[in-house]
Amino acid sequence: MRIDKLLAHAGYGSRKEVKKLLKERAVHVNGEVVTDPKTNVDPNKQEIIIHGEQVLYKEHVYFMMNKPAGFLSATEDNVQKTVVDLLDPEDLRYNPFPVGRLDKDTEGLLLLTSDGQLAHQLTSPKKNVPKKYFAEVIGLVAEEDVERFKAGVKLDDGYVTKPAWLEIIKADDISEVFVTITEGKYHQIKRMFSAVGKKVKYLKRIQMGTLELDQTLQTGEYRELTKEELEQLRSIQGQPGDSADFPL
């Protein structure tokens, strides 16, 4: 890969800024000064140093975050805090973005990456990738709700959702449930429960496809995906058709 492209991708500035670094003789490859932006390098075999700092090149980054409430699933906002604000500066240089959205007041599993191809694979409506949530719901959730979710719920705007899997953990004045959906309409789970006369009190995503939330992550914390987790995500084919028989 050309040295200017590699350094720009690694977050050392624009192509113009990288060329300035090269001109200033700040870049060393295997101990030799490199000034030509067209120089080809192999970051896996050669040591690249800028101002005494070794360049650790990654084509893409993949982070699992336990999203806290109060943060937008966005890369920037002029007024409110976003999940990107929770990232360390050295991780921000790769320009990661959230895959899909969690509502501002929803917690839990959020994938952030710079890999647009994987993001599309996981969020494309055609893929039907299941997403599992834990919810506390005001109202007694019953088996009839399970059947209604499985058949598809008509929302307030007339849209009928794809089949969803509803599992009752505790049925009470405040019920506890797991909900699995394969789409991501605006406030979908809240609107689904509203359609059956109930209200979501608390919502947390715990799984997306094969990726399960690391229970050791405190809210606001994140870590890189393991090699195994990434390979499993890449192999996701989604669920065929509109079948609701997909408990995770």
Side-chain angles (χ1 to χ4, degrees):
M1 182 183 298
R2 281 176 47 144
I3 186 71
D4 58 346
K5 181 179 179 181
L6 182 147
L7 295 179
H9 190 83
Y12 285 90
S14 64
R15 289 286 186 98
K16 184 178 180 180
E17 291 168 330
V18 167
K19 287 179 180 178
K20 184 179 178 182
L21 284 173
L22 291 163
K23 188 175 181 180
E24 292 172 347
R25 302 175 67 84
V27 182
H28 294 72
V29 178
N30 285 349
E32 300 289 332
V33 174
V34 173
T35 58
D36 185 354
K38 297 179 182 178
T39 301
N40 284 310
V41 293
D42 185 343
N44 297 314
K45 296 180 179 179
Q46 295 172 291
E47 183 182 60
I48 304 168
I49 303 291
I50 297 181
H51 291 310
E53 175 187 283
Q54 184 174 357
V55 176
L56 300 176
Y57 176 76
K58 302 175 184 177
E59 183 178 4
H60 294 297
V61 289
Y62 306 87
F63 301 123
M64 175 198 298
M65 176 181 288
N66 186 356
K67 177 191 173 296
F71 286 78
L72 297 179
S73 295
T75 54
E76 60 181 350
D77 189 87
N78 293 330
V79 179
Q80 303 183 73
K81 296 177 292 185
T82 75
V83 291
V84 171
D85 294 325
L86 296 167
L87 299 178
D88 294 332
E90 59 265 33
D91 295 325
L92 279 172
R93 67 171 52 173
Y94 293 97
N95 297 316
F97 54 88
V99 177
R101 291 186 300 179
L102 287 181
D103 298 337
K104 181 180 177 181
D105 57 350
T106 299
E107 298 180 1
L109 175 63
L110 186 65
L111 176 65
L112 294 102
T113 184
S114 57
D115 187 343
Q117 183 175 350
L118 179 64
H120 174 73
Q121 179 180 338
L122 294 174
T123 57
S124 171
K126 295 180 180 179
K127 294 292 185 178
N128 291 307
V129 176
K131 279 119 5 208
K132 185 175 183 179
Y133 296 77
F134 167 78
E136 293 179 357
V137 180
I138 300 174
L140 185 68
V141 179
E143 285 301 321
E144 64 185 70
D145 298 314
V146 173
E147 294 304 315
R148 288 190 65 179
F149 272 48
K150 191 171 184 178
V153 176
K154 188 175 182 179
L155 302 182
D156 46 13
D157 60 359
Y159 176 79
V160 178
T161 66
K162 292 181 179 180
W165 183 275
L166 176 59
E167 179 184 352
I168 301 171
I169 305 170
K170 183 178 77 172
D172 209 329
D173 291 341
I174 304 291
S175 298
E176 296 181 0
V177 300
F178 289 129
V179 185
T180 303
I181 60 176
T182 60
E183 51 189 343
K185 299 298 181 182
Y186 180 71
H187 290 309
Q188 180 171 334
I189 291 179
K190 296 173 184 176
R191 293 164 68 200
M192 289 175 76
F193 276 106
S194 177
V196 295
K198 298 169 181 66
K199 183 178 180 180
V200 173
K201 177 183 178 184
Y202 173 79
L203 189 61
K204 180 176 184 178
R205 183 158 68 188
I206 58 175
Q207 191 167 348
M208 182 179 186
T210 57
L211 187 64
E212 296 183 47
L213 177 64
D214 185 338
Q215 297 300 322
T216 66
L217 288 176
Q218 300 297 313
T219 53
E221 291 185 339
Y222 69 97
R223 65 163 173 81
E224 288 197 66
L225 295 189
T226 65
K227 183 179 179 180
E228 180 181 11
E229 288 170 336
L230 182 55
E231 288 177 350
Q232 289 177 343
L233 275 182
R234 284 174 170 161
S235 67
I236 286 177
Q237 298 299 316
Q239 299 293 326
D242 290 332
S243 173
D245 297 321
F246 46 71
L248 292 171

